[in-house]
Amino acid sequence: MFIYAHRGASALAPENTLLAIQTAIEHKVDGIEFDVYQHQQEFILIHDRWLHRTTNGIGSIESMLLEQIRLLDAGKGQHVPTLREALECIGDHCQVNIELKGVSNIPNLLKYVDDACLQYGIPEAAILFSSFDHHLLRTLKSCKPSARIGALTASKPLDYAAFAQALEAEFINADVTFVDKNFVFDAKQRGLKMGVYTVDQPEDLVKLKSWGVDAVFCNNPMNARLALK
Ligand code: G3P
Ligand code: CA
């Protein structure tokens, strides 16, 4: 079962920072997931639109200039990284899951990621785009049919993974709270891979593996690896 470091190795370093990414790489994770917001022409790693939970700033992302956001402390002296910095840091070490939180310009994002991948030696196949915004995923897929996408859900829909199949997703990534055997079976029947977030309990990891789940998103990927040995 593939292990993604969730928001980087976020149990060991401030989430969505270069330190969390470096820590995950040092521990040889299979992949790294992080959250992305667009700020004018730039893309930055941050989970919340409001700055106060993960930085020493207040207000929303869009209320500040990029230069101001970049001066904030995101924990342990880390700054809010740009997507380019994150991709440079990861290089060809592992897979990358770019979760789109607040992104409005998909063509710009795709060009930005393509350019960075070229520059830092990241194969296109290493990138998985995901989002809870399924409209955004549909736009992304129509702009770039070869893009790998993961459709996120925090629910167990009546028709299970049908929405992800309709989006031509490679993965359906679902909340551990609502994943059961039937959900995994349905995804598999549709030819989808199943990812589950956020999983840090050893019992859950072992159970999900036994159900044939393909990937898990873990705040502490090192403990997850130990639990699955
Ligand atoms: O991509 C899986 C997971 O990260 C989605 O939830 O809130 O942690 O971004 P969240
Ligand atoms: Ca995320």
Side-chain angles (χ1 to χ4, degrees), residues 6-7 33-35 47 97 99 101 130 132 152 173 196-198 217:
H6 182 241
R7 310 181 192 175
E33 183 265 3
F34 50 72
D35 305 290
H47 183 275
N97 179 184
E99 186 191 335
K101 290 290 192 205
S130 67
F132 287 102
L152 281 161
N173 294 339
V196 183
Y197 68 90
T198 307
F217 296 83

PDB file of all heavy atoms in Angstrom, residues 6-7 33-35 47 97 99 101 130 132 152 173 196-198 217, ligand 1:
ATOM      1  N   HIS A   6       1.125  13.262   4.482  1.00  0.00           N
ATOM      2  CA  HIS A   6      -0.006  14.173   4.388  1.00  0.00           C
ATOM      3  C   HIS A   6       0.372  15.588   4.827  1.00  0.00           C
ATOM      4  O   HIS A   6       0.761  15.791   5.978  1.00  0.00           O
ATOM      5  CB  HIS A   6      -1.140  13.631   5.274  1.00  0.00           C
ATOM      6  CG  HIS A   6      -2.384  14.444   5.236  1.00  0.00           C
ATOM      7  ND1 HIS A   6      -2.912  15.055   6.349  1.00  0.00           N
ATOM      8  CD2 HIS A   6      -3.195  14.753   4.196  1.00  0.00           C
ATOM      9  CE1 HIS A   6      -4.015  15.685   6.005  1.00  0.00           C
ATOM     10  NE2 HIS A   6      -4.213  15.521   4.719  1.00  0.00           N
ATOM     11  N   ARG A   7       0.280  16.533   3.905  1.00  0.00           N
ATOM     12  CA  ARG A   7       0.758  17.916   4.122  1.00  0.00           C
ATOM     13  C   ARG A   7       2.254  17.902   4.437  1.00  0.00           C
ATOM     14  O   ARG A   7       2.740  18.651   5.290  1.00  0.00           O
ATOM     15  CB  ARG A   7      -0.020  18.620   5.228  1.00  0.00           C
ATOM     16  CG  ARG A   7      -1.529  18.527   5.069  1.00  0.00           C
ATOM     17  CD  ARG A   7      -2.273  19.243   6.164  1.00  0.00           C
ATOM     18  NE  ARG A   7      -3.698  18.907   6.161  1.00  0.00           N
ATOM     19  CZ  ARG A   7      -4.586  19.304   7.043  1.00  0.00           C
ATOM     20  NH1 ARG A   7      -4.209  20.101   8.028  1.00  0.00           N
ATOM     21  NH2 ARG A   7      -5.841  18.942   6.977  1.00  0.00           N
ATOM     22  N   GLU A  33       1.831  14.644  -0.225  1.00  0.00           N
ATOM     23  CA  GLU A  33       0.624  15.407  -0.543  1.00  0.00           C
ATOM     24  C   GLU A  33       0.749  16.777   0.098  1.00  0.00           C
ATOM     25  O   GLU A  33       1.291  16.902   1.207  1.00  0.00           O
ATOM     26  CB  GLU A  33      -0.607  14.685   0.031  1.00  0.00           C
ATOM     27  CG  GLU A  33      -1.950  15.337  -0.295  1.00  0.00           C
ATOM     28  CD  GLU A  33      -2.490  16.280   0.765  1.00  0.00           C
ATOM     29  OE1 GLU A  33      -1.815  16.513   1.802  1.00  0.00           O
ATOM     30  OE2 GLU A  33      -3.590  16.808   0.568  1.00  0.00           O
ATOM     31  N   PHE A  34       0.298  17.815  -0.627  1.00  0.00           N
ATOM     32  CA  PHE A  34       0.205  19.145  -0.013  1.00  0.00           C
ATOM     33  C   PHE A  34      -0.928  19.925  -0.650  1.00  0.00           C
ATOM     34  O   PHE A  34      -1.476  19.529  -1.682  1.00  0.00           O
ATOM     35  CB  PHE A  34       1.549  19.905  -0.094  1.00  0.00           C
ATOM     36  CG  PHE A  34       2.169  19.937  -1.454  1.00  0.00           C
ATOM     37  CD1 PHE A  34       1.630  20.719  -2.472  1.00  0.00           C
ATOM     38  CD2 PHE A  34       3.312  19.195  -1.735  1.00  0.00           C
ATOM     39  CE1 PHE A  34       2.203  20.771  -3.732  1.00  0.00           C
ATOM     40  CE2 PHE A  34       3.899  19.227  -3.003  1.00  0.00           C
ATOM     41  CZ  PHE A  34       3.336  20.012  -3.998  1.00  0.00           C
ATOM     42  N   ASP A  35      -1.285  21.044   0.002  1.00  0.00           N
ATOM     43  CA  ASP A  35      -2.450  21.846  -0.395  1.00  0.00           C
ATOM     44  C   ASP A  35      -1.997  23.131  -1.065  1.00  0.00           C
ATOM     45  O   ASP A  35      -1.044  23.765  -0.613  1.00  0.00           O
ATOM     46  CB  ASP A  35      -3.276  22.187   0.851  1.00  0.00           C
ATOM     47  CG  ASP A  35      -3.653  20.939   1.609  1.00  0.00           C
ATOM     48  OD1 ASP A  35      -4.483  20.170   1.105  1.00  0.00           O
ATOM     49  OD2 ASP A  35      -3.091  20.711   2.709  1.00  0.00           O
ATOM     50  N   HIS A  47      -3.112  25.202   3.713  1.00  0.00           N
ATOM     51  CA  HIS A  47      -4.361  24.431   3.757  1.00  0.00           C
ATOM     52  C   HIS A  47      -5.593  25.325   3.878  1.00  0.00           C
ATOM     53  O   HIS A  47      -6.635  25.034   3.294  1.00  0.00           O
ATOM     54  CB  HIS A  47      -4.316  23.460   4.949  1.00  0.00           C
ATOM     55  CG  HIS A  47      -5.518  22.571   5.037  1.00  0.00           C
ATOM     56  ND1 HIS A  47      -6.690  22.947   5.654  1.00  0.00           N
ATOM     57  CD2 HIS A  47      -5.735  21.317   4.558  1.00  0.00           C
ATOM     58  CE1 HIS A  47      -7.568  21.958   5.569  1.00  0.00           C
ATOM     59  NE2 HIS A  47      -7.023  20.957   4.908  1.00  0.00           N
ATOM     60  N   ASN A  97       1.334  14.663  -4.777  1.00  0.00           N
ATOM     61  CA  ASN A  97      -0.107  14.886  -4.890  1.00  0.00           C
ATOM     62  C   ASN A  97      -0.382  16.360  -4.587  1.00  0.00           C
ATOM     63  O   ASN A  97      -0.222  16.815  -3.456  1.00  0.00           O
ATOM     64  CB  ASN A  97      -0.866  13.980  -3.919  1.00  0.00           C
ATOM     65  CG  ASN A  97      -2.377  14.160  -3.964  1.00  0.00           C
ATOM     66  OD1 ASN A  97      -3.084  13.540  -3.179  1.00  0.00           O
ATOM     67  ND2 ASN A  97      -2.907  14.990  -4.852  1.00  0.00           N
ATOM     68  N   GLU A  99      -2.946  18.951  -4.062  1.00  0.00           N
ATOM     69  CA  GLU A  99      -4.383  19.125  -3.804  1.00  0.00           C
ATOM     70  C   GLU A  99      -4.762  20.578  -4.041  1.00  0.00           C
ATOM     71  O   GLU A  99      -4.226  21.486  -3.415  1.00  0.00           O
ATOM     72  CB  GLU A  99      -4.775  18.710  -2.380  1.00  0.00           C
ATOM     73  CG  GLU A  99      -6.293  18.793  -2.271  1.00  0.00           C
ATOM     74  CD  GLU A  99      -6.862  18.676  -0.868  1.00  0.00           C
ATOM     75  OE1 GLU A  99      -6.233  18.075   0.020  1.00  0.00           O
ATOM     76  OE2 GLU A  99      -7.971  19.213  -0.680  1.00  0.00           O
ATOM     77  N   LYS A 101      -6.884  23.601  -3.543  1.00  0.00           N
ATOM     78  CA  LYS A 101      -7.860  24.175  -2.609  1.00  0.00           C
ATOM     79  C   LYS A 101      -8.522  25.368  -3.292  1.00  0.00           C
ATOM     80  O   LYS A 101      -9.650  25.281  -3.717  1.00  0.00           O
ATOM     81  CB  LYS A 101      -7.169  24.597  -1.305  1.00  0.00           C
ATOM     82  CG  LYS A 101      -6.690  23.453  -0.433  1.00  0.00           C
ATOM     83  CD  LYS A 101      -7.830  22.687   0.194  1.00  0.00           C
ATOM     84  CE  LYS A 101      -7.350  21.732   1.295  1.00  0.00           C
ATOM     85  NZ  LYS A 101      -8.262  20.609   1.501  1.00  0.00           N
ATOM     86  N   SER A 130      -5.427  16.563  -7.193  1.00  0.00           N
ATOM     87  CA  SER A 130      -6.674  16.154  -6.557  1.00  0.00           C
ATOM     88  C   SER A 130      -7.419  17.384  -6.070  1.00  0.00           C
ATOM     89  O   SER A 130      -6.840  18.480  -5.944  1.00  0.00           O
ATOM     90  CB  SER A 130      -6.410  15.192  -5.391  1.00  0.00           C
ATOM     91  OG  SER A 130      -5.747  15.862  -4.350  1.00  0.00           O
ATOM     92  N   PHE A 132     -11.417  18.539  -3.838  1.00  0.00           N
ATOM     93  CA  PHE A 132     -12.825  18.338  -3.477  1.00  0.00           C
ATOM     94  C   PHE A 132     -13.706  19.075  -4.481  1.00  0.00           C
ATOM     95  O   PHE A 132     -14.912  18.856  -4.515  1.00  0.00           O
ATOM     96  CB  PHE A 132     -13.108  18.890  -2.074  1.00  0.00           C
ATOM     97  CG  PHE A 132     -12.530  18.059  -0.964  1.00  0.00           C
ATOM     98  CD1 PHE A 132     -11.364  18.445  -0.320  1.00  0.00           C
ATOM     99  CD2 PHE A 132     -13.153  16.892  -0.551  1.00  0.00           C
ATOM    100  CE1 PHE A 132     -10.832  17.690   0.717  1.00  0.00           C
ATOM    101  CE2 PHE A 132     -12.637  16.124   0.486  1.00  0.00           C
ATOM    102  CZ  PHE A 132     -11.468  16.519   1.122  1.00  0.00           C
ATOM    103  N   LEU A 152     -11.573  13.770  -4.668  1.00  0.00           N
ATOM    104  CA  LEU A 152     -11.700  13.693  -3.207  1.00  0.00           C
ATOM    105  C   LEU A 152     -13.163  13.693  -2.775  1.00  0.00           C
ATOM    106  O   LEU A 152     -14.002  14.364  -3.389  1.00  0.00           O
ATOM    107  CB  LEU A 152     -10.995  14.886  -2.566  1.00  0.00           C
ATOM    108  CG  LEU A 152      -9.471  14.781  -2.458  1.00  0.00           C
ATOM    109  CD1 LEU A 152      -8.856  16.160  -2.250  1.00  0.00           C
ATOM    110  CD2 LEU A 152      -9.091  13.855  -1.309  1.00  0.00           C
ATOM    111  N   ASN A 173     -10.162   9.427  -3.600  1.00  0.00           N
ATOM    112  CA  ASN A 173      -9.533   9.561  -2.294  1.00  0.00           C
ATOM    113  C   ASN A 173     -10.589   9.977  -1.279  1.00  0.00           C
ATOM    114  O   ASN A 173     -11.161  11.063  -1.372  1.00  0.00           O
ATOM    115  CB  ASN A 173      -8.396  10.592  -2.348  1.00  0.00           C
ATOM    116  CG  ASN A 173      -7.248  10.116  -3.230  1.00  0.00           C
ATOM    117  OD1 ASN A 173      -7.109   8.915  -3.470  1.00  0.00           O
ATOM    118  ND2 ASN A 173      -6.442  11.034  -3.709  1.00  0.00           N
ATOM    119  N   VAL A 196      -7.109   6.672   0.832  1.00  0.00           N
ATOM    120  CA  VAL A 196      -7.858   7.006   2.049  1.00  0.00           C
ATOM    121  C   VAL A 196      -7.040   7.979   2.897  1.00  0.00           C
ATOM    122  O   VAL A 196      -5.852   7.774   3.117  1.00  0.00           O
ATOM    123  CB  VAL A 196      -8.185   5.729   2.868  1.00  0.00           C
ATOM    124  CG1 VAL A 196      -9.017   6.086   4.097  1.00  0.00           C
ATOM    125  CG2 VAL A 196      -8.948   4.715   2.011  1.00  0.00           C
ATOM    126  N   TYR A 197      -7.707   9.038   3.355  1.00  0.00           N
ATOM    127  CA  TYR A 197      -7.072  10.008   4.238  1.00  0.00           C
ATOM    128  C   TYR A 197      -7.893  10.119   5.525  1.00  0.00           C
ATOM    129  O   TYR A 197      -9.066   9.767   5.506  1.00  0.00           O
ATOM    130  CB  TYR A 197      -6.961  11.385   3.543  1.00  0.00           C
ATOM    131  CG  TYR A 197      -8.301  12.044   3.307  1.00  0.00           C
ATOM    132  CD1 TYR A 197      -8.860  12.894   4.277  1.00  0.00           C
ATOM    133  CD2 TYR A 197      -9.037  11.811   2.143  1.00  0.00           C
ATOM    134  CE1 TYR A 197     -10.087  13.491   4.073  1.00  0.00           C
ATOM    135  CE2 TYR A 197     -10.274  12.416   1.946  1.00  0.00           C
ATOM    136  CZ  TYR A 197     -10.786  13.243   2.919  1.00  0.00           C
ATOM    137  OH  TYR A 197     -12.009  13.835   2.733  1.00  0.00           O
ATOM    138  N   THR A 198      -7.427  10.642   6.556  1.00  0.00           N
ATOM    139  CA  THR A 198      -6.038  10.707   6.975  1.00  0.00           C
ATOM    140  C   THR A 198      -5.876   9.576   7.972  1.00  0.00           C
ATOM    141  O   THR A 198      -6.645   9.525   8.938  1.00  0.00           O
ATOM    142  CB  THR A 198      -5.738  12.070   7.624  1.00  0.00           C
ATOM    143  OG1 THR A 198      -6.134  13.109   6.747  1.00  0.00           O
ATOM    144  CG2 THR A 198      -4.264  12.221   7.973  1.00  0.00           C
ATOM    145  N   PHE A 217      -2.961   8.362   3.185  1.00  0.00           N
ATOM    146  CA  PHE A 217      -2.357   9.658   3.470  1.00  0.00           C
ATOM    147  C   PHE A 217      -2.159   9.726   4.978  1.00  0.00           C
ATOM    148  O   PHE A 217      -3.135   9.645   5.736  1.00  0.00           O
ATOM    149  CB  PHE A 217      -3.275  10.787   2.986  1.00  0.00           C
ATOM    150  CG  PHE A 217      -3.454  10.779   1.488  1.00  0.00           C
ATOM    151  CD1 PHE A 217      -4.387   9.935   0.895  1.00  0.00           C
ATOM    152  CD2 PHE A 217      -2.674  11.578   0.679  1.00  0.00           C
ATOM    153  CE1 PHE A 217      -4.543   9.902  -0.483  1.00  0.00           C
ATOM    154  CE2 PHE A 217      -2.819  11.553  -0.708  1.00  0.00           C
ATOM    155  CZ  PHE A 217      -3.753  10.713  -1.288  1.00  0.00           C
TER     156      PHE A 217
HETATM  157  O1  G3P B   1      -5.888  14.805   0.062  1.00  0.00           O
HETATM  158  C1  G3P B   1      -6.359  14.186   1.200  1.00  0.00           C
HETATM  159  C2  G3P B   1      -6.621  15.163   2.317  1.00  0.00           C
HETATM  160  O2  G3P B   1      -5.524  16.007   2.436  1.00  0.00           O
HETATM  161  C3  G3P B   1      -7.875  15.970   2.109  1.00  0.00           C
HETATM  162  O3  G3P B   1      -8.241  16.680   3.249  1.00  0.00           O
HETATM  163  O4  G3P B   1      -8.458  18.683   4.626  1.00  0.00           O
HETATM  164  O5  G3P B   1      -6.449  17.313   4.824  1.00  0.00           O
HETATM  165  O6  G3P B   1      -6.806  18.678   2.805  1.00  0.00           O
HETATM  166  P1  G3P B   1      -7.445  17.899   3.891  1.00  0.00           P
END
